[in-house]
Amino acid sequence: MLQSIEARTGQPVGAAWPESTLADIDAAAAAAEAVAGDFAATSAAVRGALLRALAAALEADREKLVALADRETGLGLPRLNGELDRTIFQLNGFADVLAAGTIHAVVDDAAIAGTPPVGRPHLTRTRVPLGPVAMFSASNFPFAFSVLGGDSAAALAAGCPVVVKGHPAHPELSRMTAALAHRVVDAAGLPAGVFQFVEGGSIEVGVALVNAPAIAAVAFTGSFKGGTALAKVAAERPRPIPFYGELGSINPLLVLPAALEKSAELATTLAGSICLGAGQFCTSPGVIVVPAGADGDAFVQNLAKALQAQQPHAMLSAGIRATFDRGVARWRASSVLKPLVQDASAAGSLAPRPYLAEVTAADFIQHHELQEEVFGSAALVVRTLSIDDAVAVLQTVGGSLTVTLWGAEADTPEHRRLVRAASQVAGRVLFSGVPTGVAVAAAQQHGGPYPASTQPFGTSVGYAAVDRFLRPVALQDAPAWVLERKGQPC
Amino acid sequence: MLQSIEARTGQPVGAAWPESTLADIDAAAAAAEAVAGDFAATSAAVRGALLRALAAALEADREKLVALADRETGLGLPRLNGELDRTIFQLNGFADVLAAGTIHAVVDDAAIAGTPPVGRPHLTRTRVPLGPVAMFSASNFPFAFSVLGGDSAAALAAGCPVVVKGHPAHPELSRMTAALAHRVVDAAGLPAGVFQFVEGGSIEVGVALVNAPAIAAVAFTGSFKGGTALAKVAAERPRPIPFYGELGSINPLLVLPAALEKSAELATTLAGSICLGAGQFCTSPGVIVVPAGADGDAFVQNLAKALQAQQPHAMLSAGIRATFDRGVARWRASSVLKPLVQDASAAGSLAPRPYLAEVTAADFIQHHELQEEVFGSAALVVRTLSIDDAVAVLQTVGGSLTVTLWGAEADTPEHRRLVRAASQVAGRVLFSGVPTGVAVAAAQQHGGPYPASTQPFGTSVGYAAVDRFLRPVALQDAPAWVLERKGQPC
């Protein structure tokens, strides 16, 4: 059953309702498949207009959408208005990309007379949409990674129908957004199969959606556990399909000696990033690497003080809060951690307190349980004795969405080693600022080696996200009438 | 044990030798990993020079390489000289691509002042090499898809060390080619870890190579059974890695009414393609779709006659021949097939006879056993009553490396439907010529939806093959000294 919950009080609002049945899910996928060929053949202009109309409809309903999102997530109006801004921005951004024509750009190799390998036929490399995309909404971004978020925008831009699974942590908002999408698709004169919506919180609903024969690819943002399980389902279908899972990560942030000079200011910035959205960001910094020594000690003291002053708001749901508490309890029980910030949360309060502890690089590397993400406002300070230590910490963390290097402005052999090590494990390497907040741009990469994502080549933020849903096809000696379509299916 | 066999007689040549041990394999992967960072940081010029030196060394040793290849494969000197031409051409071609700079091209988004979503930091999207690539050689192309074939060329171009597994069907040639590569790498002043070689025919060797912790990606060309099993191993590692398997396919070829006018000529061309290299091409046409009716009957008669006149040479190995014979026997036993060409091979001859049979579209769609590839000079003619039938046959075949449409020159609704259906299941759609022979070009796509390949976005022929081994990394606010490297790791 699905039930809307008021996040700040934990109280149910209205009646519960049943999740989608397996028949509903198959019907939704089949409806998407039935229109996939025609939608793939629509022009870039048609799809661009659809994306802009979705953006405009979100803007028109802003007030009631944000109010409902706030009730179901407790994220607050400023944050939710900003997130809706971004969601609208990226729908329009994909429309701009479609208008620019890059999605349908082709690589053309003219025929060369003569025998191979020099001689060759005329080859035109095009891209075709994969077909219906199953999209799993995330709990922590009720607009930007939910029903009409980046994955839906990218799939629709590519010419793939989407079957969205709403997230059970904001079920009324999901329904309201889906209803808006249905209206816009209909008003655009497109068939309802272009946008389908299912809902449910059970494992069965997720598995059924990934297993629906009509589904051609899956986009998922969520937990490591859920994503890994569904990736396995996708790989074991009679016909395996691509599974684009963004599973979150630890996001190491290295404070190098040059940055320690600005200790107080950076510590405040970092504390804010750790507690942003109550730490419910997949790019939340979870490991802070600080050199041993007096300057490092001062930074750590400043960080602890700044973190102590933070007041995270209530988490998204009781389930997420319980997982956070279990993770912190695991850390509290560790004998190798030295606690720095560990206030108990006030009795009955749904707002968690931040948690910070310190550990040596050697202990961090040795203790596997310290390397698992704790989703929320908790971080570990890892103290290093050398660049070797810092590189070893990065290699231990392995795949991460981001690595941040503060103080690498100078070109030194040590910094070169760190940039290399960071590039080997992360999808994004930052040299200033904090990893929370992911700009929507052509150059963005929001992904990374496993376990940050299941397909490290794909990004789930930015305009390269569309590449996940387009498959190359080489046309050999194609007649003019085929080539006139510039790679779009007939 | 490995043993060189004279393909035309089945007789062993020289003594047998043991395959690589599990310790050998881990040592090879570890040697590759130890140099991966430094090799990733080499300039495009250094890697281009390596590729050109490998090409030059193959050319210098052409005579003895081709003679040995002929002894171990029986493919004949003209074909093997042509294949070596292509192998040299593609090594030099990747060097040209490196010189052109496209591999290291970046996407740069300037910073925009202000708050998100419009405001953003400076982002530079680069690509970094994945790390050591395990490369599984194929039996049927002892140069172009073997030790220094396209996958090795692409991985080295990307800046990834390779660990090649030689194919046991041409073990002496594999060793000779590997020794040549070792010499060239050494002469180029590069560490031996850049090119490592292991050998063996057992499942254990393949599994150990995919499981070696140092391996970052796998490139595989071979059977559906072997590729599917190894893809599972790659997915179930503690850290899963990309598995690029090219598993072969059925390659439907549709003879549309407009093409039936040139029946005799096209039938001869097609018979030659079915028997090219004794049918041992992953792009060999295995399903020929022909409309019912008198014109179609004439084409089928011409095809049967032309195929009867073909004399395929001995197959690559006793194992491949046995698999072919089993496949043909399965078809012979089918009650829904009408045989057209089914001579028994001469007693004691290693050269197989071609096989052709006819089936209705309805029966083909219903009988799953007819949809499996028979690797060798065998094909089925599928007779269709309508365009619906033809589309249904394509959808039944599912993923295929190629679909060929003969006679689609005119822009008609029927042809549009067929081009769409072909694009949905194939990596390459041909409008003239035969699918055997894959040009090495920027626009080429040699891959396709499962089961043609395990990662339908990748190609194993052409210059886009390098993309499989480069992972995007976004650099945020990178200092000038990092950006001067144009996205190459430090």
Side-chain angles (χ1 to χ4, degrees), chain A residues 84-184:
Chain A
L84 187 57
D85 287 343
R86 172 192 165 163
T87 308
I88 291 166
F89 178 83
Q90 71 193 359
L91 284 161
N92 286 323
F94 277 107
D96 292 343
V97 170
L98 281 166
T102 43
I103 283 178
H104 294 300
V106 303
V107 177
D108 199 79
D109 281 324
I112 296 178
T115 50
V118 174
R120 69 183 182 204
H122 178 200
L123 286 165
T124 309
R125 188 178 169 90
T126 66
R127 300 197 298 177
V128 300
L130 281 182
V133 172
M135 204 292 274
F136 285 74
S137 303
S139 62
N140 58 338
F141 282 84
F143 294 119
F145 285 81
S146 193
V147 178
L148 286 176
D151 283 329
S152 294
L156 293 171
C160 297
V162 288
V163 182
V164 167
K165 188 182 92 61
H167 198 283
H170 49 268
E172 285 280 15
L173 177 66
S174 300
R175 293 189 139 195
M176 186 187 282
T177 314
L180 175 153
H182 290 312
R183 284 199 310 274
V184 171

Side-chain angles (χ1 to χ4, degrees), chain A residues 197-480:
Chain A
F197 176 73
V198 299
E199 54 190 338
S202 68
I203 293 171
E204 288 71 22
V205 164
V207 169
L209 182 53
V210 174
N211 266 331
I215 294 298
V218 182
F220 173 94
T221 302
S223 71
F224 173 79
K225 195 177 150 196
T228 303
L230 289 175
K232 206 166 138 69
V233 172
E236 288 174 356
R237 285 166 48 114
R239 287 192 178 166
I241 53 175
F243 183 90
Y244 300 105
E246 195 264 85
L247 312 183
S249 71
I250 293 183
N251 304 295
L253 184 149
L254 282 70
V255 189
L256 303 174
L260 290 175
E261 295 165 13
K262 295 177 286 178
S263 178
E265 180 194 333
L266 288 176
T268 305
T269 302
L270 180 52
S273 180
I274 291 170
C275 292
L276 193 65
Q280 300 166 119
F281 275 63
C282 40
T283 52
S284 190
V287 162
I288 319 302
V289 181
V290 180
D295 288 352
D297 291 346
F299 178 85
V300 173
Q301 280 167 15
N302 284 328
L303 176 60
K305 199 173 139 193
L307 205 60
Q308 194 88 49
Q310 289 282 331
Q311 302 283 1
H313 55 64
M315 295 188 81
L316 290 157
S317 71
I320 287 177
R321 174 60 192 272
T323 304
F324 172 72
D325 287 345
R326 276 197 303 275
V328 170
R330 206 169 59 232
W331 281 357
R332 280 179 192 267
S334 168
S335 61
V336 298
L337 291 186
K338 177 183 141 196
L340 298 171
V341 176
Q342 60 164 348
D343 320 337
S345 302
S349 164
L350 287 172
R353 288 295 300 150
Y355 179 87
L356 188 72
E358 190 176 69
V359 63
T360 64
D363 279 337
F364 176 79
I365 290 165
Q366 213 181 322
H367 288 78
H368 186 74
E369 74 278 11
L370 301 180
Q371 298 151 22
E372 286 168 26
E373 182 185 10
V374 172
F375 189 71
S377 52
L380 295 180
V381 174
V382 178
R383 303 299 296 267
T384 53
L385 300 172
S386 62
I387 291 288
D388 282 351
D389 265 5
V391 168
V393 168
L394 289 177
Q395 288 170 344
T396 299
V397 167
S400 185
L401 292 168
T402 70
V403 169
T404 302
L405 301 173
W406 278 353
E409 283 73 22
D411 182 2
T412 68
E414 291 75 21
H415 292 164
R416 287 189 173 238
R417 278 192 68 197
L418 288 171
V419 172
R420 181 195 282 192
S423 301
Q424 280 167 352
V425 302
R428 179 163 54 114
V429 179
L430 295 85
F431 295 85
S432 76
V434 290
T436 43
V438 187
V440 179
Q444 190 55 275
Q445 174 64 14
H446 189 63
Y450 188 89
S453 61
T454 56
Q455 296 263 12
F457 295 86
T459 179
S460 63
V461 178
Y463 303 121
V466 75
D467 296 337
R468 297 173 298 166
F469 307 120
L470 292 164
R471 181 174 60 78
V473 175
L475 303 174
Q476 182 166 328
D477 293 329

Side-chain angles (χ1 to χ4, degrees), chain B residues 172-435:
Chain B
E172 284 280 16
L173 177 67
S174 299
R175 292 189 139 196
M176 186 186 282
T177 313
L180 176 153
H182 289 313
R183 285 199 309 275
V184 171
V185 166
D186 189 53
L190 291 166
V194 165
F195 180 90
Q196 293 283 302
F197 176 72
V198 299
E199 52 190 340
S202 68
I203 292 170
E204 289 72 21
V205 165
V207 169
L209 182 53
V210 174
N211 267 332
I215 294 299
V218 183
F220 173 95
T221 303
S223 70
F224 172 77
K225 196 177 149 195
T228 303
L230 288 175
K232 206 167 139 66
V233 173
E236 289 174 356
R237 286 168 47 116
R239 286 191 179 168
I241 54 176
F243 184 91
Y244 300 105
E246 193 263 83
L247 311 183
S249 70
I250 292 183
N251 304 296
L253 184 149
L254 283 70
V255 189
L256 304 173
L260 289 175
E261 295 164 13
K262 295 178 287 178
S263 177
E265 182 194 334
L266 287 177
T268 305
T269 302
L270 179 52
S273 180
I274 292 170
C275 291
L276 192 65
Q280 299 165 119
F281 276 62
C282 42
T283 52
S284 192
V287 162
I288 319 301
V289 181
V290 181
D295 289 351
D297 291 347
F299 178 85
V300 173
Q301 279 167 14
N302 283 327
L303 176 60
K305 199 171 140 195
L307 205 61
Q308 194 89 49
Q310 288 281 330
Q311 301 284 358
H313 56 63
M315 295 188 80
L316 290 157
S317 72
I320 288 177
R321 174 60 194 272
T323 304
F324 173 72
D325 287 345
R326 276 198 302 275
V328 170
R330 206 170 60 232
W331 282 356
R332 278 179 194 267
S334 168
S335 61
V336 296
L337 291 187
K338 176 181 139 197
L340 298 170
V341 176
Q342 60 162 349
D343 319 338
S345 303
S349 165
L350 288 171
R353 289 294 300 151
Y355 178 88
L356 187 72
E358 191 177 69
V359 62
T360 64
D363 279 338
F364 176 79
I365 290 165
Q366 212 181 324
H367 288 78
H368 185 74
E369 74 278 11
L370 302 180
Q371 298 151 22
E372 287 169 25
E373 182 185 10
V374 172
F375 189 70
S377 52
L380 296 180
V381 173
V382 178
R383 303 299 297 268
T384 53
L385 300 173
S386 63
I387 291 287
D388 282 350
D389 264 5
V391 168
V393 167
L394 288 177
Q395 287 170 344
T396 299
V397 167
S400 185
L401 292 168
T402 70
V403 169
T404 303
L405 301 173
W406 279 353
E409 284 73 21
D411 182 1
T412 68
E414 291 75 20
H415 292 164
R416 288 189 171 238
R417 278 193 68 195
L418 287 171
V419 172
R420 181 194 281 192
S423 301
Q424 280 168 351
V425 301
R428 180 163 54 113
V429 180
L430 295 85
F431 295 84
S432 75
V434 290

Side-chain angles (χ1 to χ4, degrees), chain A residues 1-48:
Chain A
M1 297 295 280
L2 292 154
Q3 169 69 61
S4 184
I5 305 274
E6 180 153 346
R8 290 190 186 79
T9 64
Q11 295 305 308
V13 180
W17 66 93
E19 59 182 23
S20 300
T21 64
L22 304 193
D24 293 339
I25 292 166
D26 274 346
E33 187 183 38
V35 304
D38 286 337
F39 189 55
T42 55
S43 67
V46 166
R47 278 174 278 137

